[in-house]
Amino acid sequence: MLAETIKSDLEILLSPKAAISLPCSVEFAQSNLRFTEYERPTYLLAIRPSCAQDVVQTVKYARSKGIPFSPRAGHHCVTTTMRHLRGGILLDMRSLNGLTFNEELKQVTVGGGVITDDLVRFLEHHRMEVNVGSCPTTGVMGVSFGAGLGRLQGKYGLLHDNMVSCELVLADGSLISVSKESHPDLFWAIRGAGHNFGIAVQATFQVYPEASGGTHYSWDLEFGLEQCDEVFRTLNEVHTDMPAHMAIFVLWNRQSKTGLEHLILINIVWSGTEDEADPWVGRFQGLKPLIDSGKTRNTWGELPWTTYNGLNKLLSKPEVWSKAPLKMMGAVSIETFDLPITKAFLYSLKDMNEQWAGKGLFGAMFECLPHHRVREIADDATAFPWRRGSNHFLMMTATPFNLEDRDHFEGHLDRWKKEFIAVSGYGRLQQYVNYGNTTSTMKDPAEALYGYEPWRLEKLRSLKGKYDPDNVFRWYQPLIE
């Protein structure tokens, strides 16, 4: 069908405040904006719904015409399975951005298009908090459908562990509420495999009074490559018994503000009592970093914008993404850092950045998070399978400036993904679903995303047959291909 025909049809069905945009318009470009243009889906038009019924009507219409569709909120999807969606309808959920706080129940209700930064600042206003991801411009629903990793998970569990209920549009266009009391089987499934089951138009989460007066302390410590072994040996030791209010990120820094090149940046965030941090941070400071930012005080809302030298001001700003649009990623979970492989990988980043200078970029971010509350919750409480099988989350990046060079960049990511899997301590790929299938040249099996225990995929696929028998939601990490 022609996009103009679809637009005319939907204008009759949708509410007066719903907005429909076609390619070549500014509005479509804003809705279609994406963190990466690598292996992306394509759309005939975009819709910004003004209410849940606009989503319902769009789904029913698309189903009746056989047109594929997909929602988005935060633009951050890096999953290459989405490339199979061609000529579809894009539901830009950012317009459903309502936030309400129930003071009596200590619960927040979040619209389907709310991004993390909006949620954090809203909760901060009410002096409340909950675990969220470290990137401020991800969509809350997409994050929670996968799990919702973050610095505060040691205290509060994964974001979706705190989900109380979700309003979901199913494949047939019906709008239902799911919770432990209503459709509990589906409520289990959407927390870990939610992209396969529907579109969230809003969800309610349990939240908690902010700790330590809402202050978070952070340090950026930068080390030379020659210090790699002692840095990661210390990181392995610290992570075994670090407290629930400590989180560590490791980043590759091509060049510091002082001109030093090829650095390992250790970012430490402490969300507990200030005077208890020194012994833990001191274990890294004792390694004599080349650069030590010293302790900085942050509000929760400021934290993601100031940590690791404010890198999120580049990584998380949509207006910057187009400067390097072909971002690729490789990801793997490990139990501990294997020192020889980690060192070899970091030196390969130096080599590749030098070899491809002016033609592309290579980098990495490792998330070393606390797991205390996450692992107090039963393994089968949600569909997320890796509560005890994902100590560290490694993300490796490669960005060619010209797609003709893609083989070299994909090859780099796939090679090191395989190398880390081999020394992961798990003997297989155990992949966080939101980080999976990030190059189209190395497929992550469904078991790696949803669990190797046979009952997990059997249960998920049975629920898929019940709630989406035609496999309408098959674009993002599909349970059934």
Side-chain angles (χ1 to χ4, degrees), residues 1-3 6 10 21-23 28 32 40-47 58 61-62 66-71 82-91 475:
M1 294 180 66
L2 293 176
I6 300 172
L10 286 170
S21 59
L22 297 175
F28 180 86
N32 197 39
R40 63 156 301 148
T42 65
Y43 299 103
L44 296 173
L45 78 169
I47 297 169
T58 300
Y61 174 82
I67 304 170
F69 58 91
S70 180
M82 290 296 299
R83 72 188 187 277
H84 299 298
L85 194 164
R86 317 302 294 176
I89 295 174
L90 170 60
L91 275 157
W475 310 114

Side-chain angles (χ1 to χ4, degrees), residues 172-386:
D172 62 1
S174 58
L175 176 62
I176 65 170
S177 177
V178 297
S179 65
K180 290 182 179 179
E181 292 74 36
S182 175
H183 306 283
D185 55 352
L186 184 55
F187 187 57
W188 174 86
I190 66 169
R191 293 173 296 155
H195 306 85
N196 282 271
F197 290 96
I199 301 173
V201 293
Q202 73 174 29
T204 297
F205 298 89
Q206 195 68 48
V207 295
Y208 308 89
E210 62 184 14
S212 304
T215 301
H216 301 254
Y217 306 94
S218 67
W219 295 256
D220 283 334
L221 311 175
E222 300 185 57
F223 300 86
L225 286 181
E226 69 280 359
Q227 298 173 280
C228 180
D229 283 351
E230 56 185 340
V231 167
F232 282 92
R233 184 181 296 113
T234 301
L235 179 50
N236 280 337
E237 293 168 355
V238 168
H239 193 266
T240 58
D241 58 356
M242 72 183 194
H245 41 263
M246 182 179 184
I248 302 171
F249 277 57
V250 183
L251 290 90
W252 168 261
N253 191 3
R254 286 187 299 277
Q255 184 172 0
S256 73
K257 295 177 181 178
T258 62
L260 295 176
E261 295 183 323
H262 314 306
L263 300 174
I264 304 165
L265 192 160
I266 302 292
N267 169 252
I268 301 169
V269 170
W270 184 269
S271 301
T273 304
E274 180 178 3
D275 58 6
E276 295 178 352
D278 290 344
W280 295 94
V281 178
R283 293 168 73 171
F284 290 98
Q285 290 175 320
L287 302 178
K288 299 181 179 179
L290 302 179
I291 302 172
D292 184 342
S293 70
K295 176 170 58 182
T296 61
R297 297 168 179 262
N298 309 273
T299 66
W300 189 31
E302 294 169 344
L303 187 65
W305 301 108
T306 58
T307 48
Y308 29 90
N309 292 331
L311 188 59
N312 268 329
K313 292 174 183 175
L314 293 176
L315 295 178
S316 300
K317 289 288 185 72
E319 58 269 26
V320 180
W321 294 342
S322 60
K323 295 182 179 180
L326 300 173
K327 302 172 192 68
M328 304 173 179
M329 195 175 91
V332 63
S333 299
I334 61 170
E335 187 173 24
T336 59
F337 286 95
D338 178 272
L339 299 187
I341 289 296
T342 303
K343 185 175 184 178
F345 167 68
L346 291 172
Y347 270 94
S348 82
L349 291 182
K350 174 182 180 293
D351 294 342
M352 293 298 278
N353 276 299
E354 291 176 342
Q355 178 183 344
W356 291 89
K359 296 182 179 180
L361 303 169
F362 297 83
M365 175 186 285
F366 305 159
E367 297 176 313
C368 310
L369 302 171
H371 297 288
H372 303 66
R373 178 56 183 154
V374 174
R375 293 176 181 174
E376 291 172 357
I377 297 170
D379 281 345
D380 61 356
T382 70
F384 178 68
W386 304 128

Side-chain angles (χ1 to χ4, degrees), residues 19 56 137 189 198 248 296 320 361 406 410 412 414 470:
V56 168
T137 53
I248 302 171
T296 61
V320 180
L361 303 169
R406 65 182 293 171
E410 291 168 328
H412 165 82
D414 293 348
D470 297 321

Side-chain angles (χ1 to χ4, degrees), residues 107 110 203 229 268 300 385 460 476 479:
Q107 293 176 356
V110 180
D229 283 351
I268 301 169
W300 189 31
L460 284 169
Y476 189 100
L479 285 164

